Amino acid sequence: MKQQSRRLLSLDALRGFDMLFIMGFSALVIDVCSLFPGGADCWLAQTMSHAKWHGLTHHDTIFPLFLFIAGVSFPFSYAKQTASGMSRKSIYLKILKRMLILIGLGIVYNGFFKMDFANLRIASVLGRIGLAWGIAAILYINFKPATRAIIAAATLIVYWLTVGYIAAPDVPGGDPLTMQGTIVGYIDRLFMPGRLIYDGGRFDPEGLLSTIPATVSAMLGMFTGEFVRIPEEKISGDRKSLYMAGATAALLAVGLLWSLVFPINKMLWTSSFVLVVGAYSLGMFTLFYYIIDVKGWQKWTLFFRVIGLNSITIYMAQKIISFSNINRFFLGGIVSHVPEAWGEVIYSTGYVAICWLFLYFLYKKDVFLKI
């Protein structure tokens, strides 16, 4: 492998792969499956939606993988900042600024400009990314890897003992591992401002307490980025890939064992979920890193990098711009002349294509939303 570039192309490609499912590809998979008898109920179609409570689907991996990737990026950006002479105070302020912007964008995404503040949801996907990444970044700056590993392990253990065994005090006799009885919802009912979106306003999957283990998801990414930054002279890219593959297997094994007593659950962001999806994230990064940055097979990555370089842009744009109306304007005539099931496939394909072309236009104009 050549001298490590300042930017890992694998990260942009993997981020694009991850966001592709948010950009309509999940719906396309479901619609293609629906072309076949019983296809909408097949495993592949079902895994394009979130698990209802305990369990894991592919759709449950999208959010934590994005957070993991944000973690991988930080050791590179931090090294660049320190090399440029940026002060510790300036770096802290930059982290805080990013946290606040992401929290703010999350509130905007939830409908801030509707001005219906009584029903406004404050918790959000972007808000959790901002908080979890920001806390992990501060830990990265202040502690050595061994200390951070202890903090991460302790966090997951304490979270397990708290959420797994302490039920919500306002639900007498409640099961701590149910949506109604979990202390996660109780903490949000006490302290989370704004509307909670599940169980009649009593639970939110992006609430306060479950953000704590999400911080470990970002920390896993930072451990990975820190490892990849080791100079080639000390550890080759091939050997790094091998070590990361081994770490993937170890995380998966521990996570699956832990799930026997603390089920995999995205809404609670359980400790077993952190490790199992951390294994998925590390495994996917290892694959992309080995193919793109180690072996140098990069030409095929453009499709994904166009998405990955403007991931927040497309996430917000889908809420603001009616890509569906654009899609119907151009494809409505064709759809009207084919069977309904095929029409859904055409619409889903067109939606992904229009979103991608929008991002490609920005890419060609060198317009990127950087936070």
Side-chain angles (χ1 to χ4, degrees), residues 178-211:
T178 62
M179 185 179 292
Q180 294 73 30
T182 178
I183 196 170
V184 170
Y186 176 71
I187 295 298
D188 287 339
R189 291 193 291 276
L190 287 180
F191 302 110
M192 173 63 78
R195 180 174 63 94
L196 308 182
I197 60 173
Y198 283 95
D199 192 28
R202 293 174 56 82
F203 178 86
D204 197 293
E206 277 79 55
L208 296 171
L209 191 60
S210 55
T211 297

Side-chain angles (χ1 to χ4, degrees), residues 42-72:
C42 73
W43 171 84
L44 182 58
Q46 291 297 310
T47 202
M48 292 295 112
S49 301
H50 291 297
K52 292 182 179 179
W53 190 241
H54 295 325
L56 184 69
T57 68
H58 176 269
H59 219 58
D60 294 327
T61 69
I62 296 172
F63 182 4
L65 174 56
F66 191 93
L67 183 53
F68 176 90
I69 292 169
V72 176

Side-chain angles (χ1 to χ4, degrees), residues 44-350:
L44 182 58
Q46 291 297 310
T47 202
M48 292 295 112
S49 301
H50 291 297
K52 292 182 179 179
W53 190 241
H54 295 325
L56 184 69
T57 68
H58 176 269
H59 219 58
D60 294 327
T61 69
I62 296 172
F63 182 4
L65 174 56
F66 191 93
L67 183 53
F68 176 90
I69 292 169
V72 176
S73 300
F74 184 70
F76 291 88
S77 61
Y78 179 67
K80 184 178 179 181
Q81 290 164 11
T82 54
S84 67
M86 186 179 293
S87 68
R88 182 69 65 92
K89 179 181 178 181
S90 297
I91 294 173
Y92 282 140
L93 289 174
K94 189 171 183 178
I95 292 171
L96 178 61
K97 179 182 176 182
R98 188 169 194 251
M99 291 172 64
L100 293 176
I101 289 175
L102 286 170
I103 292 169
L105 286 176
I107 295 172
V108 170
Y109 184 91
N110 288 344
F112 175 84
F113 289 107
K114 293 179 180 179
M115 301 299 177
D116 182 11
F117 300 123
N119 295 301
L120 179 63
R121 181 184 178 222
I122 300 300
S124 68
V125 168
L126 292 179
R128 169 159 291 181
I129 292 172
L131 286 170
W133 172 87
I135 295 169
I138 292 170
L139 291 173
Y140 178 88
I141 293 172
N142 288 280
F143 297 101
K144 294 181 179 180
T147 305
R148 282 184 276 120
I150 293 171
I151 292 172
T155 298
L156 294 182
I157 292 171
V158 171
Y159 187 74
W160 164 46
L161 296 176
T162 302
V163 175
Y165 296 99
I166 302 176
D170 61 347
V171 183
D175 183 343
L177 291 178
T178 62
M179 185 179 292
Q180 294 73 30
T182 178
I183 196 170
V184 170
Y186 176 71
I187 295 298
D188 287 339
R189 291 193 291 276
L190 287 180
F191 302 110
M192 173 63 78
R195 180 174 63 94
L196 308 182
I197 60 173
Y198 283 95
D199 192 28
R202 293 174 56 82
F203 178 86
D204 197 293
E206 277 79 55
L208 296 171
L209 191 60
S210 55
T211 297
I212 295 173
T215 299
V216 179
S217 297
M219 292 175 72
L220 291 174
M222 291 182 191
F223 285 126
T224 303
E226 193 173 13
F227 177 69
V228 171
R229 282 198 69 250
I230 296 175
E232 288 284 297
E233 296 76 22
K234 294 184 177 180
I235 307 178
S236 68
D238 291 278
R239 191 160 292 277
K240 288 175 185 175
S241 301
L242 182 62
Y243 289 158
M244 288 191 292
T248 297
L251 283 174
L252 180 61
V254 175
L256 291 176
L257 285 173
W258 208 338
S259 71
L260 299 176
V261 293
F262 196 27
I264 297 170
N265 186 308
K266 177 186 176 292
M267 287 196 180
L268 294 176
W269 213 281
T270 56
S271 304
S272 57
F273 173 80
V274 171
L275 296 183
V276 170
V277 181
Y280 168 80
S281 301
L282 179 57
M284 289 299 295
F285 172 72
T286 301
L287 178 63
F288 274 61
Y289 171 74
Y290 180 74
I291 293 173
I292 298 169
D293 292 308
V294 176
K295 291 302 181 183
W297 301 331
Q298 300 175 354
K299 291 182 179 180
W300 62 277
T301 65
L302 177 65
F303 176 83
F304 293 115
R305 286 191 292 112
V306 165
I307 305 170
L309 287 167
N310 257 321
S311 53
I312 301 296
T313 302
I314 194 59
Y315 184 78
M316 294 298 297
Q318 288 182 98
K319 199 72 171 180
I320 299 169
I321 302 172
S322 182
F323 292 111
S324 295
N325 284 342
I326 298 172
N327 194 24
R328 284 191 291 269
F329 178 84
F330 286 105
L331 298 178
I334 296 174
V335 169
S336 66
H337 290 88
V338 300
E340 182 179 354
W342 278 102
E344 293 300 320
V345 172
I346 292 171
Y347 269 145
S348 295
T349 304

